[in-house]
Amino acid sequence: MNFYERLHAVLHGGEPDAVPFAPYDNLVPRGGFERELADRGMGLLDRHSGGIWSEMPNVEIDTRSEGNVVTTTYHTPVGAVYTRSKTHLGRIADGATVQTEGLIKDVKDFDAVIYMVEDTVYHLDPRPVLEAQRHWGSHGYLSQAGFGVPYEATLGFFGGYAGIPAWIYAQNDHPDEFAALVAAVDRRERRRFPLLLQLPGDLVACGSVDGNYGPARWRQYDLPYYQEFVPQLQAAGKIVSIHAHASNNLAYADLLRETGVDVVEAFTPPPVGDLSIAEARRRWGPDVVIWVNFPETVFYYGYEETRRYTMDLIKSDPPGNRLVIGFTEMGTYGITDAESERLFKAGFRAVVEAIETCGAYPVRA
Amino acid sequence: MDFAERMQAVLTGGEVDRVPVMSLESIMPRGELELGLRRRGMGLCLSRPVVWCEHPHVDVDVQTVGDISTMTYHTARGDLTLRQRQHLGRLADDASCDLDGLVKTPDDLDAAIAMAEDAVFHIDASAYSDTAFEIGTDGIVRCDGPRSPYELSCELLGYRPGMVNAHQVLTHWHQLQQDEPTRFAALLEALAAQEQRRVEALIASPVTLVRLGRIDGQISPTQWRERVLPFYQQVTAQLREAGKVCSLHAHTPILAAYTDGVKASGVQMVEGIVSPPFGILAVGEARRRWWDEGIVLWVNIPEGLFWMGANYVKSQVMAIAMVGDPANKLILGATEQGLVGVVDDESEAVYRAGYHAILDGLGYPA
């Protein structure tokens, strides 16, 4: 089997010849080392965002740069809001850019942001997806950006991770405005959803478990969304994944089962996460695909320990036909100097070596 | 030898075991076919910025209606607008094309001059350094460097190679030069100063390989010698003095008419050479005309040949490689179309066979 066939078998309930090794494509960039790993069976997951594009026809956008700080102002008929970003920051983030101020800084910003959300119009264009599938061929697999979960998505308007305090205060201080924002995002996602069903490709990535808010709130705000939309996607032949990269997944384990998703990816096992593959399998049953984010910190224990750790991971989930080993968070981005280059390259090679040693299907415990 | 060693040898006048095959990264999307070619020895040329440009006194507005975005640049001496069609969907999700240029009438010249005067360049080599590390021996990284003011003025009116309404844009450009000679000269002067600031930033950066402008063929050989060449002579002298290697992207099919100008430009590499039957400059003739300057030739194998069959491609490649001093100062590969030409199963099969035939013709192991 080639990489595509192997991963396709795992995602579709079939029998692969081995456990797939599938990092995100941006975390193992094109080059000599990537080619070396590909020669030993590695393929890549392309998290594709094309296929559906959006516009805000009644919003005008200004951009002003001062040094490496870019201020983007959105003019709506009900007011203006702006973001600030620092650019040219190197590999600290995709695009070398970090947002330092989100759209919502004050209660008066809600109206304009809600207007922007309501003004968003979506268009379907499947050509970029079809072309990407053609180019990747057997070397890659595409996932498509699925629905956004409204409550989770509102964090983005406050500046993402940097805006968590403001996001929390807003929910307490301005509950009516916040509820109106969530409702607007909900309407926006419902406008996008029919297009999602029409996109080519099978794998759809929907929402995440970040650990930014607790299981009770996740159950209240996020779970109903999965319970409504996951069955519709599955009825349309889609395979639904969730990006569960929280290090405290144990607290969300039963909720994840209740979502009904087919794939739990970015799953980070101990010692970084607190939920083992064996315990997750016990709670989720034999059919859910567990897509592991390999914890790079293990690399610092050396080649042999990394190899042994990987073999233990694989052997903990026999027969191995619903398991994927990946890198979803850091990958080779963790290489910053000669020492980390040596450790990370040795670590990646140890992972491949372990899959070659004990990853053949059926995996024996 | 691996690809990086081969390229190092070619660029420094050393010996290679085989003619390097190098394609532009932008037209070789990641995937099975390009990985297969890299496994056999093809390398990539990746372009990354090492300097970035700031316009501290220019605000930009963006208004999007449907798939058309209109950008308005507010300068102290007036506004300029540019319309782009977005979501064109070929190869990159954000593919777009310009529908017009910033300069549409003589009234726009003052604002265009203000923008050029406002351009400030900063060094940021992080993307360049990261990419060089990541690509390793599978490629080389370069940056886009200064371009001649005359060439840039043409693009300010909206010219792009391969555009549909080039005739209209070029007519406006010539008319502007006739009707507004003084202000047009002032624009060229401002652009020259802007590009000189870019050169100074590049010299201070770690980049080695610098791509200058293009020879598209829209500027006649006489005009090119008169209005473009002096700029390149000036900047190549500065860049070479700083240890940089300069290249020109000379993809015009009528390159034979520009060979004397290229010879005098001071560039060390000419890329995008379109060999016959699509271009009129044979590789042997290019070698003969530029031999004394030691110019490296990066020849684009026209993808149209692929439709003649793999054996035909292989024989053509062998013939090119055998001209003059085999394997010396020569690179073959894709600089124009690449996998953009793959649109269905048939073209995929034809292009796959064609690219592998290039490697076959140069003796790369299967």
Side-chain angles (χ1 to χ4, degrees):
Chain A
M1 280 180 159
N2 62 37
F3 167 78
Y4 178 88
E5 293 164 341
R6 190 175 300 130
L7 184 55
H8 188 273
V10 169
L11 295 175
H12 286 266
E15 297 190 351
D17 61 346
V19 174
F21 181 34
Y24 286 177
D25 64 329
N26 62 321
L27 301 185
V28 185
R30 179 149 69 169
F33 186 55
E34 168 243 5
R35 180 165 51 79
E36 176 193 326
L37 298 171
D39 287 345
R40 298 176 69 177
M42 181 195 74
L44 298 165
L45 180 74
D46 177 1
R47 291 168 302 147
H48 205 266
S49 56
I52 299 174
W53 58 275
S54 65
E55 59 169 320
M56 296 182 289
N58 301 298
V59 176
E60 194 161 331
I61 305 168
D62 292 352
T63 306
R64 180 172 175 76
S65 299
E66 289 174 84
N68 70 338
V69 176
V70 176
T71 304
T72 306
T73 306
Y74 299 81
H75 298 278
T76 81
V78 294
V81 286
Y82 68 89
T83 61
R84 281 219 170 87
S85 300
K86 276 198 174 178
T87 61
H88 307 287
L89 294 176
R91 212 160 48 168
I92 187 172
D94 289 344
T97 298
V98 170
Q99 194 177 90
T100 55
E101 293 182 49
L103 283 169
I104 299 178
K105 292 173 265 301
D106 188 273
V107 64
K108 65 179 171 47
D109 296 329
F110 273 92
D111 284 349
V113 171
I114 289 171
Y115 183 91
M116 287 167 64
V117 173
E118 301 283 21
D119 195 42
T120 303
V121 179
Y122 290 105
H123 303 273
L124 180 71
D125 179 5
R127 290 173 301 167
V129 182
L130 296 169
E131 288 178 0
Q133 285 175 331
R134 178 179 294 285
H135 290 307
W136 279 113
S138 64
H139 183 42
Y141 211 100
L142 257 69
S143 73
Q144 193 61 231
F147 58 75
V149 182
Y151 179 73
E152 179 190 356
T154 56
L155 176 58
F157 300 120
F158 292 81
Y161 291 149
I164 287 176
W167 181 63
I168 292 167
Y169 288 135
Q171 293 176 56
N172 280 285
D173 298 346
H174 311 292
D176 293 341
E177 289 81 358
F178 189 84
L181 178 64
V182 173
V185 176
D186 176 52
R187 287 191 289 274
R188 184 188 70 182
E189 291 304 311
R190 287 174 193 276
R191 292 198 296 277
R192 186 177 180 274
F193 191 76
L195 304 184
L196 189 57
L197 295 175
Q198 297 174 51
L199 271 182
D202 50 9
L203 186 56
V204 182
C206 299
S208 64
V209 176
D210 296 329
N212 294 333
Y213 45 98
R217 196 159 280 225
W218 208 92
R219 176 178 292 282
Q220 179 186 351
Y221 288 111
D222 292 359
L223 182 60
Y225 222 72
Y226 289 94
Q227 290 176 327
E228 178 178 356
F229 289 105
V230 168
Q232 294 182 56
L233 285 165
Q234 289 168 335
K238 305 291 186 186
I239 295 162
V240 184
S241 73
I242 186 169
H243 187 82
H245 62 168
S247 56
N248 59 338
N249 270 341
L250 186 57
Y252 301 84
D254 293 333
L255 285 167
L256 282 163
R257 177 179 48 75
E258 291 177 60
T259 60
V261 299
D262 306 290
V263 181
V264 178
E265 60 105 13
F267 177 97
T268 309
V272 176
D274 66 353
L275 179 61
S276 69
I277 291 177
E279 178 61 17
R281 181 64 69 204
R282 190 183 70 75
R283 294 189 186 216
W284 300 340
D287 295 330
V288 171
V289 174
I290 298 176
W291 191 313
V292 169
N293 165 54
F294 194 93
E296 292 86 353
T297 41
V298 173
F299 293 166
Y300 286 84
Y301 293 93
Y303 179 91
E304 277 306 324
E305 180 58 23
T306 303
R307 180 172 170 275
R308 187 201 61 74
Y309 174 88
T310 313
M311 289 174 66
D312 287 348
L313 273 188
I314 294 169
K315 288 178 178 178
S316 74
D317 196 37
N321 59 340
R322 299 293 175 268
L323 180 66
V324 180
I325 304 293
F327 285 85
T328 67
E329 306 299 314
M330 188 192 308
T332 60
Y333 275 23
I335 299 176
T336 54
D337 54 22
E339 185 191 6
S340 54
E341 179 183 356
R342 181 178 58 77
L343 287 165
F344 273 60
K345 286 188 171 175
F348 268 88
R349 288 176 179 129
V351 171
V352 173
E353 171 79 19
I355 295 172
E356 289 171 348
T357 303
C358 71
Y361 178 80
V363 168
R364 301 187 196 291
Chain B
M1 278 182 146
D2 61 31
F3 171 75
E5 292 166 338
R6 248 174 238 130
M7 283 302 297
Q8 178 68 15
V10 164
L11 293 174
T12 56
E15 301 259 320
V16 292
D17 60 343
R18 291 184 184 85
V19 175
V21 175
M22 178 165 73
S23 297
L24 289 175
E25 173 209 25
S26 55
I27 55 174
M28 280 283 163
R30 284 183 93 171
E32 182 185 334
L33 177 49
E34 74 85 25
L35 177 65
L37 296 169
R38 269 193 295 135
R39 279 181 170 136
R40 292 192 63 187
M42 181 192 79
L44 296 169
C45 179
L46 304 96
S47 201
R48 293 292 182 276
V50 293
V51 298
W52 58 278
C53 180
E54 177 192 7
H55 292 96
H57 304 100
V58 177
D59 284 346
V60 187
D61 291 352
V62 183
Q63 174 72 49
T64 302
V65 178
D67 61 352
I68 295 180
S69 294
T70 303
M71 277 147 285
T72 304
Y73 297 80
H74 301 286
T75 81
R77 281 176 259 168
D79 294 349
L80 299 171
T81 63
L82 176 69
R83 289 184 310 136
Q84 279 187 335
R85 189 180 292 279
Q86 311 284 343
H87 313 291
L88 291 174
R90 284 295 300 179
L91 297 183
D93 299 343
D94 56 353
S96 64
C97 77
D98 295 349
L99 298 176
D100 53 23
L102 283 171
V103 175
K104 295 172 191 61
T105 72
D107 294 340
D108 295 330
L109 284 170
D110 286 346
I113 291 168
M115 253 185 99
E117 289 174 346
D118 196 40
V120 180
F121 293 94
H122 306 273
I123 298 171
D124 176 8
S126 56
Y128 169 80
S129 305
D130 289 341
T131 303
F133 167 75
E134 289 157 2
I135 196 69
T137 58
D138 277 13
I140 60 169
V141 189
R142 67 159 181 209
C143 75
D144 289 339
R147 301 181 57 198
S148 82
Y150 195 58
E151 211 179 319
L152 286 174
S153 73
C154 191
E155 296 201 357
L156 279 172
L157 274 92
Y159 174 80
R160 297 287 182 277
M163 69 183 299
V164 176
N165 56 343
H167 174 76
Q168 183 185 357
V169 168
L170 293 173
T171 302
H172 284 156
W173 182 53
H174 285 294
Q175 197 166 349
L176 192 67
Q177 294 175 59
Q178 291 281 340
D179 295 348
E180 299 284 344
T182 306
R183 285 206 288 168
F184 189 81
L187 174 66
L188 295 185
E189 193 178 331
L191 290 171
Q194 169 192 289
E195 294 306 287
Q196 180 57 36
R197 294 196 293 279
R198 188 193 303 273
V199 169
E200 285 156 15
L202 281 173
I203 286 172
S205 79
V207 73
T208 301
L209 189 56
V210 179
R211 193 195 85 161
L212 307 178
R214 296 188 308 265
I215 302 180
D216 296 335
Q218 93 281 22
I219 301 171
S220 74
T222 308
Q223 288 279 302
W224 200 88
R225 277 196 76 93
E226 187 182 322
R227 312 201 69 165
V228 176
L229 178 60
F231 175 81
Y232 286 131
Q233 287 175 319
Q234 177 192 321
V235 298
T236 56
Q238 295 175 71
L239 290 166
R240 291 181 68 158
E241 172 72 20
K244 314 295 185 189
V245 175
C246 303
S247 73
L248 262 179
H249 190 89
H251 60 175
T252 174
I254 53 165
L255 183 58
Y258 295 83
T259 51
D260 291 346
V262 169
K263 182 177 182 174
S265 68
V267 298
Q268 295 117 301
M269 182 161 83
V270 178
E271 64 176 62
I273 298 171
V274 182
S275 59
F278 294 88
I280 62 168
L281 179 62
V283 174
E285 183 63 12
R287 278 185 176 281
R288 190 182 68 73
R289 294 191 189 189
W290 296 334
W291 189 259
D292 291 344
E293 285 67 35
I295 292 175
V296 173
L297 314 184
W298 181 2
V299 177
N300 171 62
I301 301 298
E303 289 82 357
L305 294 181
F306 295 170
W307 295 91
M308 307 291 285
N311 284 336
Y312 184 79
V313 174
K314 187 176 170 182
S315 65
Q316 290 290 307
V317 166
M318 290 170 73
I320 290 172
M322 289 300 290
V323 172
D325 184 3
N328 199 348
K329 299 191 180 78
L330 180 66
I331 304 164
L332 300 186
T335 66
E336 304 303 310
Q337 191 181 55
L339 299 185
V340 180
V342 173
V343 293
D344 53 21
D345 290 347
E346 184 189 13
S347 54
E348 182 179 345
V350 167
Y351 276 59
R352 184 185 299 272
Y355 281 118
H356 279 285
I358 295 173
L359 293 160
D360 292 341
L362 296 173
Y364 281 82

